[in-house]
PDB file of all heavy atoms in Angstrom:
ATOM      1  N   GLY A 125       9.119  16.090   1.628  1.00  0.00           N
ATOM      2  CA  GLY A 125       9.256  17.155   0.623  1.00  0.00           C
ATOM      3  C   GLY A 125       7.895  17.595   0.104  1.00  0.00           C
ATOM      4  O   GLY A 125       7.628  18.796  -0.029  1.00  0.00           O
ATOM      5  N   ALA A 126       7.026  16.592  -0.166  1.00  0.00           N
ATOM      6  CA  ALA A 126       5.680  16.922  -0.653  1.00  0.00           C
ATOM      7  C   ALA A 126       4.912  17.691   0.415  1.00  0.00           C
ATOM      8  O   ALA A 126       4.198  18.654   0.123  1.00  0.00           O
ATOM      9  CB  ALA A 126       4.940  15.640  -1.032  1.00  0.00           C
ATOM     10  N   ALA A 127       5.076  17.289   1.661  1.00  0.00           N
ATOM     11  CA  ALA A 127       4.380  17.962   2.765  1.00  0.00           C
ATOM     12  C   ALA A 127       4.899  19.396   2.929  1.00  0.00           C
ATOM     13  O   ALA A 127       4.128  20.331   3.172  1.00  0.00           O
ATOM     14  CB  ALA A 127       4.568  17.184   4.061  1.00  0.00           C
ATOM     15  N   LEU A 128       6.215  19.564   2.767  1.00  0.00           N
ATOM     16  CA  LEU A 128       6.806  20.911   2.878  1.00  0.00           C
ATOM     17  C   LEU A 128       6.235  21.818   1.785  1.00  0.00           C
ATOM     18  O   LEU A 128       5.879  22.977   2.047  1.00  0.00           O
ATOM     19  CB  LEU A 128       8.334  20.817   2.768  1.00  0.00           C
ATOM     20  CG  LEU A 128       9.093  22.147   2.761  1.00  0.00           C
ATOM     21  CD1 LEU A 128       8.865  22.921   4.049  1.00  0.00           C
ATOM     22  CD2 LEU A 128      10.597  21.903   2.561  1.00  0.00           C
ATOM     23  N   THR A 129       6.127  21.284   0.571  1.00  0.00           N
ATOM     24  CA  THR A 129       5.559  22.077  -0.536  1.00  0.00           C
ATOM     25  C   THR A 129       4.145  22.541  -0.187  1.00  0.00           C
ATOM     26  O   THR A 129       3.795  23.711  -0.369  1.00  0.00           O
ATOM     27  CB  THR A 129       5.508  21.228  -1.823  1.00  0.00           C
ATOM     28  OG1 THR A 129       6.806  20.724  -2.080  1.00  0.00           O
ATOM     29  CG2 THR A 129       5.029  22.043  -3.008  1.00  0.00           C
ATOM     30  N   GLN A 130       3.349  21.618   0.332  1.00  0.00           N
ATOM     31  CA  GLN A 130       1.959  21.967   0.663  1.00  0.00           C
ATOM     32  C   GLN A 130       1.917  23.022   1.762  1.00  0.00           C
ATOM     33  O   GLN A 130       1.103  23.935   1.724  1.00  0.00           O
ATOM     34  CB  GLN A 130       1.170  20.711   1.086  1.00  0.00           C
ATOM     35  CG  GLN A 130       1.025  19.683  -0.018  1.00  0.00           C
ATOM     36  CD  GLN A 130       0.545  20.288  -1.324  1.00  0.00           C
ATOM     37  OE1 GLN A 130      -0.440  21.017  -1.351  1.00  0.00           O
ATOM     38  NE2 GLN A 130       1.246  20.008  -2.425  1.00  0.00           N
ATOM     39  N   LYS A 131       2.813  22.892   2.718  1.00  0.00           N
ATOM     40  CA  LYS A 131       2.837  23.870   3.806  1.00  0.00           C
ATOM     41  C   LYS A 131       3.225  25.254   3.263  1.00  0.00           C
ATOM     42  O   LYS A 131       2.601  26.262   3.608  1.00  0.00           O
ATOM     43  CB  LYS A 131       3.827  23.418   4.887  1.00  0.00           C
ATOM     44  CG  LYS A 131       3.859  24.394   6.043  1.00  0.00           C
ATOM     45  CD  LYS A 131       4.548  23.872   7.260  1.00  0.00           C
ATOM     46  CE  LYS A 131       4.571  25.015   8.265  1.00  0.00           C
ATOM     47  NZ  LYS A 131       4.592  24.579   9.614  1.00  0.00           N
ATOM     48  N   LEU A 132       4.253  25.285   2.427  1.00  0.00           N
ATOM     49  CA  LEU A 132       4.699  26.581   1.891  1.00  0.00           C
ATOM     50  C   LEU A 132       3.632  27.216   1.012  1.00  0.00           C
ATOM     51  O   LEU A 132       3.531  28.440   0.928  1.00  0.00           O
ATOM     52  CB  LEU A 132       6.004  26.395   1.091  1.00  0.00           C
ATOM     53  CG  LEU A 132       7.226  25.982   1.925  1.00  0.00           C
ATOM     54  CD1 LEU A 132       8.442  25.757   1.042  1.00  0.00           C
ATOM     55  CD2 LEU A 132       7.536  27.036   2.989  1.00  0.00           C
ATOM     56  N   LYS A 133       2.837  26.375   0.363  1.00  0.00           N
ATOM     57  CA  LYS A 133       1.759  26.908  -0.482  1.00  0.00           C
ATOM     58  C   LYS A 133       0.565  27.361   0.349  1.00  0.00           C
ATOM     59  O   LYS A 133      -0.382  27.941  -0.176  1.00  0.00           O
ATOM     60  CB  LYS A 133       1.273  25.818  -1.449  1.00  0.00           C
ATOM     61  CG  LYS A 133       2.174  25.594  -2.646  1.00  0.00           C
ATOM     62  CD  LYS A 133       1.530  24.530  -3.518  1.00  0.00           C
ATOM     63  CE  LYS A 133       2.185  24.463  -4.877  1.00  0.00           C
ATOM     64  NZ  LYS A 133       1.664  23.315  -5.644  1.00  0.00           N
ATOM     65  N   GLY A 134       0.570  27.018   1.610  1.00  0.00           N
ATOM     66  CA  GLY A 134      -0.538  27.389   2.497  1.00  0.00           C
ATOM     67  C   GLY A 134      -1.791  26.563   2.256  1.00  0.00           C
ATOM     68  O   GLY A 134      -2.900  26.973   2.612  1.00  0.00           O
ATOM     69  N   SER A 135      -1.622  25.376   1.667  1.00  0.00           N
ATOM     70  CA  SER A 135      -2.794  24.524   1.409  1.00  0.00           C
ATOM     71  C   SER A 135      -3.071  23.639   2.624  1.00  0.00           C
ATOM     72  O   SER A 135      -2.274  23.575   3.556  1.00  0.00           O
ATOM     73  CB  SER A 135      -2.551  23.636   0.190  1.00  0.00           C
ATOM     74  OG  SER A 135      -1.911  22.440   0.574  1.00  0.00           O
ATOM     75  N   LYS A 136      -4.203  22.949   2.576  1.00  0.00           N
ATOM     76  CA  LYS A 136      -4.533  22.024   3.676  1.00  0.00           C
ATOM     77  C   LYS A 136      -4.185  20.578   3.283  1.00  0.00           C
ATOM     78  O   LYS A 136      -4.578  19.625   3.967  1.00  0.00           O
ATOM     79  CB  LYS A 136      -6.046  22.082   3.977  1.00  0.00           C
ATOM     80  CG  LYS A 136      -6.503  23.392   4.580  1.00  0.00           C
ATOM     81  CD  LYS A 136      -6.405  23.320   6.096  1.00  0.00           C
ATOM     82  CE  LYS A 136      -6.866  24.616   6.730  1.00  0.00           C
ATOM     83  NZ  LYS A 136      -5.907  25.134   7.695  1.00  0.00           N
ATOM     84  N   ASN A 137      -3.521  20.442   2.138  1.00  0.00           N
ATOM     85  CA  ASN A 137      -3.190  19.086   1.676  1.00  0.00           C
ATOM     86  C   ASN A 137      -2.073  18.492   2.530  1.00  0.00           C
ATOM     87  O   ASN A 137      -1.235  19.207   3.072  1.00  0.00           O
ATOM     88  CB  ASN A 137      -2.755  19.121   0.215  1.00  0.00           C
ATOM     89  CG  ASN A 137      -3.815  19.745  -0.662  1.00  0.00           C
ATOM     90  OD1 ASN A 137      -5.005  19.604  -0.374  1.00  0.00           O
ATOM     91  ND2 ASN A 137      -3.403  20.445  -1.705  1.00  0.00           N
ATOM     92  N   ILE A 138      -2.091  17.169   2.569  1.00  0.00           N
ATOM     93  CA  ILE A 138      -1.094  16.493   3.417  1.00  0.00           C
ATOM     94  C   ILE A 138      -0.362  15.408   2.614  1.00  0.00           C
ATOM     95  O   ILE A 138      -0.731  15.128   1.471  1.00  0.00           O
ATOM     96  CB  ILE A 138      -1.754  15.847   4.657  1.00  0.00           C
ATOM     97  CG1 ILE A 138      -2.654  14.666   4.244  1.00  0.00           C
ATOM     98  CG2 ILE A 138      -2.568  16.870   5.440  1.00  0.00           C
ATOM     99  CD1 ILE A 138      -3.031  13.773   5.405  1.00  0.00           C
ATOM    100  N   ALA A 139       0.622  14.813   3.232  1.00  0.00           N
ATOM    101  CA  ALA A 139       1.339  13.694   2.607  1.00  0.00           C
ATOM    102  C   ALA A 139       1.366  12.518   3.576  1.00  0.00           C
ATOM    103  O   ALA A 139       1.348  12.712   4.799  1.00  0.00           O
ATOM    104  CB  ALA A 139       2.762  14.113   2.265  1.00  0.00           C
ATOM    105  N   VAL A 140       1.364  11.327   2.997  1.00  0.00           N
ATOM    106  CA  VAL A 140       1.480  10.109   3.802  1.00  0.00           C
ATOM    107  C   VAL A 140       2.681   9.315   3.299  1.00  0.00           C
ATOM    108  O   VAL A 140       2.840   9.137   2.094  1.00  0.00           O
ATOM    109  CB  VAL A 140       0.206   9.226   3.689  1.00  0.00           C
ATOM    110  CG1 VAL A 140       0.397   7.902   4.441  1.00  0.00           C
ATOM    111  CG2 VAL A 140      -1.012   9.962   4.234  1.00  0.00           C
ATOM    112  N   CYS A 141       3.491   8.889   4.233  1.00  0.00           N
ATOM    113  CA  CYS A 141       4.632   8.047   3.883  1.00  0.00           C
ATOM    114  C   CYS A 141       4.337   6.617   4.331  1.00  0.00           C
ATOM    115  O   CYS A 141       4.402   6.295   5.520  1.00  0.00           O
ATOM    116  CB  CYS A 141       5.889   8.562   4.598  1.00  0.00           C
ATOM    117  SG  CYS A 141       7.251   7.391   4.544  1.00  0.00           S
TER     118      CYS A 141
END
Side-chain angles (χ1 to χ4, degrees):
L128 176 61
T129 305
Q130 296 311 310
K131 181 167 176 152
L132 293 177
K133 282 182 167 173
S135 87
K136 292 271 180 230
N137 303 328
I138 68 165
V140 175
C141 167

